[in-house]
Amino acid sequence: MAYDELTRPEAPTATTLKYRVEGMDCPSCASKIETAVGRVAGARDIRVNYGTQLLAFRLDEGTSPRAQVEEQIRKLGYGIAPVEAPRVDAGEPGLLPDEEARSTARAPWWKGVKARLAGTIGVLLAGAFAATLAAPVLDHWAYLPAALVGLAFFGRKAVAAARAGSPFSIEMLMSIATVGAILIGATSEAAVVVFLFTVGELLENVAAGRARAGIEALGSLVPRTALLIEDGTAREVPAARLKVGDLVLVRPGDRVSADGVVVEGESEVDESPVTGESVPVAKTEGATVFAGSVNASGALQVKVSKPASDNTIARIIRLVEEAQEAKAPTARFIERFSAVYTPMAVLVAALVAIAPPLLAGAEWDTWIYRGLALLLVACPCALVLSTPAAIASGLAVGTRRGLLVKGGGALETIGRIRTVAFDKTGTLTEGRPRVTDLLALTGTERTMLGLAAAVENGSSHPLGRAILERAAADTIPLRPTKDARAIPGKAVEAVIMGKRVSVGSPAYAAQQTPLPITAEETVARWEHEGKTVVVVAVDGTPSGLIAVRDEPRADAAAGIRALGALGVQSVMLTGDNPRTGQAIAGALGLEVKAGLLPEDKLREIGALKAQAPVAMVGDGINDAPALAAASVGVAMGGGTDVALETADAALLNSRVLDVAALVGLSRATLANIHQNVAVALGLKAVFLVTTVVGVTGLWPAVLADTGATVLVTLNALRLLRYRFRA
């Protein structure tokens, strides 16, 4: 919209409204709502995000009251409520902040309308089956209640959608199929169709609800309270109240409550939740810290540089929401096809029924009979079942292997990708540093490692834990220590048997005593390989070197090769430093782009996506926007809850090879869908001709439709035997 439109005299009468729309769980829902609101006079700038269930638009209430829009949405079968509530902390009414709006309690899925509907139809279907076994003569009437219950629910939504500007919705397609089956006497088929459709809608609702939980989890990373320093004392205040320029205290072990700059103190901060950096970063006066990161050792005083609404985590949340909103919809095949197929099928059936009697004086009974038979041939039961049946089989196979896919759209998209972007830490690598090399400058490696482990005993630092794990693996006993202390960002020290032993950075060790030339060369070589090096010193004299690195997963190289064999390119996107990223990528044989913040990853994904469909594989909070923006997001099962909830698929066994397995499974499913569609449409094309010319009648038409459904189902079940071979 042009800027001058905002400055016209009538602009002040336009109110910006924001609503939560319950039950909006797919792109087609968002499309129907956008179309309906767009037909209301005075409504403009309409934005619908089905991922967050939010509807925002501007409305000239002098032209149309907001109640008219609300009623329009309710007629479509959705619940709607304004995103407004009293502010709990300020005690003033106003717009509910998005973070609070997202965390409002929602009823569990099994208490929803679709769950109750699926249960009701399921019970009626089971009762009808039992009744027909006892009395086959009841076949038609026994299944009629189940079909009518589903038809009443979805038919009403179809009519409302048609009145609101979406006449050929998926509900309309299903309703026409059900009505056609009932008219022809195939009530059992009609009942099964509405039941499967209801279950599919319910599963879609559940998956959408789980995806929304990811955004709520993002918000929980920032602490609710902060320690505000005023007049030399610290008091607890809500973190949302912090203003730019406030001074806050961050104690060891606390999460940083706001983006800011360190003004006093030294510590190491774990930024992996935000940047993906695998090793804590030393922070001193003047260093920048991010909201949501974790302070490891010393106390810090931080000057707030950004308000809560614009801190790092808040920006990531917005990036996720915007990526979901802009995501190209992967609508179900039937819904896409129905825009042409449904009206044409109904029109042809109607013409066959009435045109010959009207134009040529043919017998009405004969041609109405043929029209009804043609309607049954055109009834999209097999088409309605073809895609969900294949998808259900594909999802079942994936689940058995630990490949969790959150819906048919995602499974369909995965097979079309041409590039996979991997995060490094916790995705291509194990996610925790390990000791890779030891070099004793004096004495033995075992003695040197034992001294380092004794100093690090009780440490929560990732490097310290790596040293302790290696000492435990080598069965090295830990000697007693005293006077232990930490020098943030530099070293840890302790007295062992009267000698002061330090484990610190090469730079710190060199300040005490210059390293031997061979040691300096070794440090440079190890660091070039992407390893973190610490120096063990006894009374200031270097005793040995220990190299630590987050190593690639055992199957990482094989997983990259398997993707290459499928014609899929691999690239690493990491927030880690370029040296470490290049070392890992070089060992695995893939391209790397390092030192990326969340918005940088998002930009890289956008560039890749512009060329061809792209998948993002990650496990960290910082990966959430990229996971949402990619054509399909895949989370490692060992990763954070946020990545798992935001992604479209998850690898529960945390194997890189499973990415290739997921692509292979998706391609097999897509091939099965194409076969199903060919069978369904092929049989219909044959019987379309034979029905019109009078060769086949009502019962052959029933057999044709039922036969197509059986063939489609059996073909889909073949997927259950699918095995991926790398």
Side-chain angles (χ1 to χ4, degrees):
M1 183 173 61
Y3 174 78
D4 59 351
E5 287 182 324
L6 296 175
T7 58
R8 290 173 184 172
E10 65 270 18
T13 63
T15 306
T16 299
L17 301 175
K18 194 171 187 179
Y19 289 93
R20 180 172 300 284
V21 182
E22 296 292 343
M24 180 170 56
D25 49 28
C26 65
S28 64
C29 295
S31 177
K32 282 184 285 189
I33 290 171
E34 186 173 357
T35 301
V37 177
R39 290 167 65 92
V40 176
R44 61 181 186 271
D45 300 340
I46 304 162
R47 293 183 297 110
V48 186
N49 188 331
Y50 77 89
T52 56
Q53 291 192 313
L54 292 177
L55 162 66
F57 59 97
R58 298 184 68 194
L59 180 67
D60 183 352
E61 297 195 76
T63 303
S64 302
R66 66 181 69 183
Q68 181 178 339
V69 178
E70 296 170 3
E71 182 61 24
Q72 186 84 296
I73 302 301
R74 291 192 183 97
K75 285 181 178 178
L76 291 175
Y78 302 100
I80 183 170
V83 184
E84 293 179 355
R87 295 186 183 275
V88 177
D89 54 352
E92 301 173 356
L95 190 66
L96 183 68
D98 286 351
E99 290 77 8
E100 295 178 38
R102 294 186 195 100
S103 62
T104 53
R106 301 186 184 97
W109 65 267
W110 60 86
K111 293 185 178 179
V113 174
K114 289 179 182 177
R116 294 196 299 270
L117 179 65
T120 300
I121 296 176
V123 170
L124 292 173
L125 202 58
F129 180 73
T132 54
L133 287 179
V137 72
L138 297 176
D139 179 72
H140 176 78
W141 300 106
Y143 287 99
L144 191 59
L148 292 178
V149 167
L151 182 61
F153 181 83
F154 293 110
R156 186 167 61 249
K157 293 183 69 173
V159 171
R163 289 178 175 174
S166 302
F168 301 117
S169 62
I170 187 66
E171 290 85 1
M172 182 66 76
L173 180 69
M174 193 279 302
S175 298
I176 291 176
T178 304
V179 170
I182 291 174
L183 290 177
I184 217 69
T187 53
S188 60
E189 201 169 357
V192 171
V193 167
V194 296
F195 176 68
L196 291 178
F197 184 81
T198 306
V199 171
E201 292 281 299
L202 176 61
L203 293 177
E204 194 172 62
N205 194 304
V206 173
R210 289 184 59 83
R212 293 180 195 113
I215 296 179
E216 296 174 9
L218 279 171
S220 68
L221 289 175
V222 180
R224 296 291 182 185
T225 61
L227 292 175
L228 178 64
I229 300 176
E230 290 180 327
D231 300 325
T233 60
R235 64 184 181 90
E236 192 173 272
V237 299
R241 284 189 179 181
L242 293 176
K243 304 184 298 296
V244 175
D246 282 349
L247 192 63
V248 295
L249 173 65
V250 184
R251 299 168 301 188
D254 285 353
R255 283 192 181 272
V256 179
S257 54
D259 284 7
V261 177
V262 176
V263 296
E264 185 177 319
E266 293 184 359
S267 184
E268 290 182 318
V269 176
D270 178 8
E271 295 184 342
S272 59
V274 181
T275 67
E277 177 69 50
S278 56
V279 177
V281 180
K283 299 292 183 181
T284 58
E285 185 176 338
T288 300
V289 292
F290 302 114
S293 55
V294 182
N295 185 19
S297 48
L300 297 175
Q301 290 189 23
V302 176
K303 187 175 183 179
V304 177
S305 60
K306 293 179 181 177
S309 60
D310 196 39
N311 65 32
T312 303
I313 298 299
R315 291 200 307 274
I316 290 177
I317 290 174
R318 285 198 295 273
L319 287 171
V320 173
E321 292 180 343
E322 290 167 4
Q324 288 178 336
E325 186 174 333
K327 206 169 188 177
T330 54
R332 290 166 291 186
F333 172 80
I334 297 302
E335 188 173 7
R336 295 197 303 267
F337 192 69
S338 67
V340 176
Y341 179 82
T342 305
M344 290 300 297
V346 173
L347 178 61
V348 169
L351 288 175
V352 167
I354 65 174
L358 288 177
L359 300 178
E363 295 183 4
W364 280 96
D365 288 349
T366 299
W367 287 98
I368 288 177
Y369 180 87
R370 291 181 182 181
L372 289 175
L374 186 60
L375 184 62
L376 185 58
V377 170
C379 176
C381 296
L383 283 174
V384 168
L385 291 174
S386 62
T387 301
I391 292 294
S393 295
L395 295 179
V397 171
T399 301
R400 286 205 305 264
R401 188 189 167 108
L403 311 177
L404 178 63
V405 184
K406 298 181 180 179
L411 185 61
E412 189 176 342
T413 304
I414 291 167
R416 299 192 177 103
I417 63 170
R418 290 294 174 264
T419 304
V420 175
F422 288 94
D423 175 48
K424 180 183 77 68
T425 305
T427 302
L428 288 172
T429 66
E430 294 287 350
R432 58 177 183 176
R434 297 179 183 276
V435 173
T436 59
D437 302 274
L438 298 170
L439 175 64
L441 301 177
T442 61
T444 66
E445 291 182 354
R446 184 178 175 86
T447 300
M448 182 267 296
L449 180 61
L451 291 173
V455 173
E456 295 283 4
N457 192 18
S459 172
S460 60
H461 193 287
L463 298 182
R465 290 198 302 269
I467 291 172
L468 286 167
E469 287 176 4
R470 176 61 181 268
D474 292 353
T475 64
I476 299 176
L478 300 182
R479 302 179 185 183
T481 63
K482 63 179 181 179
D483 298 335
R485 69 187 183 103
I487 305 173
K490 298 179 180 179
V492 289
E493 298 181 345
V495 175
I496 303 175
M497 299 179 65
K499 297 182 179 181
R500 178 157 290 278
V501 180
S502 67
V503 180
S505 67
Y508 175 76
Q511 292 175 1
Q512 314 305 312
T513 303
L515 295 174
I517 297 299
T518 55
E520 289 184 348
E521 292 174 349
T522 301
V523 168
R525 176 164 52 84
W526 285 351
E527 288 184 340
H528 181 72
E529 295 171 356
K531 299 170 183 176
T532 300
V533 183
V534 296
V535 178
V536 181
V538 179
D539 287 337
T541 302
S543 175
L545 307 177
I546 301 176
V548 178
R549 189 174 72 173
D550 183 14
E551 290 292 272
R553 294 182 184 273
D555 71 329
I560 300 301
R561 289 195 300 270
L563 284 169
L566 292 171
V568 178
Q569 177 188 1
S570 298
V571 61
M572 180 198 295
L573 305 179
T574 178
D576 219 333
N577 63 76
R579 184 188 64 212
T580 301
Q582 187 59 57
I584 297 295
L588 298 178
L590 75 165
E591 182 186 349
V592 61
K593 295 186 179 181
L596 304 179
L597 290 172
E599 52 264 37
D600 299 324
K601 287 189 178 183
L602 191 61
R603 185 173 57 253
E604 294 292 341
I605 289 293
L608 291 171
K609 191 176 178 181
Q611 301 173 19
V614 60
M616 174 68 193
V617 185
D619 78 319
I621 305 303
N622 59 302
D623 300 322
L627 288 170
S631 305
V632 62
V634 182
M636 280 289 182
T640 65
D641 290 340
V642 174
L644 292 174
E645 298 295 351
T646 305
D648 303 297
L651 310 179
L652 301 184
N653 296 319
S654 298
R655 290 192 296 250
V656 180
L657 264 171
D658 282 348
V659 180
L662 199 55
V663 174
L665 174 61
S666 174
R667 291 182 179 179
T669 304
L670 283 171
N672 194 280
I673 290 173
H674 296 156
Q675 294 160 7
N676 286 348
V677 171
V679 168
L681 292 180
L683 281 175
K684 290 181 186 303
V686 170
F687 279 87
L688 171 67
V689 175
T690 58
T691 300
V692 171
V693 300
V695 175
T696 55
L698 197 59
W699 286 110
V702 173
L703 292 176
D705 187 63
T706 304
T709 302
V710 170
L711 290 175
V712 161
T713 303
L714 291 176
N715 188 48
L717 291 176
R718 289 192 310 109
L719 270 177
L720 295 175
R721 300 196 302 270
Y722 174 80
R723 296 290 183 273
F724 176 76
R725 294 175 177 84

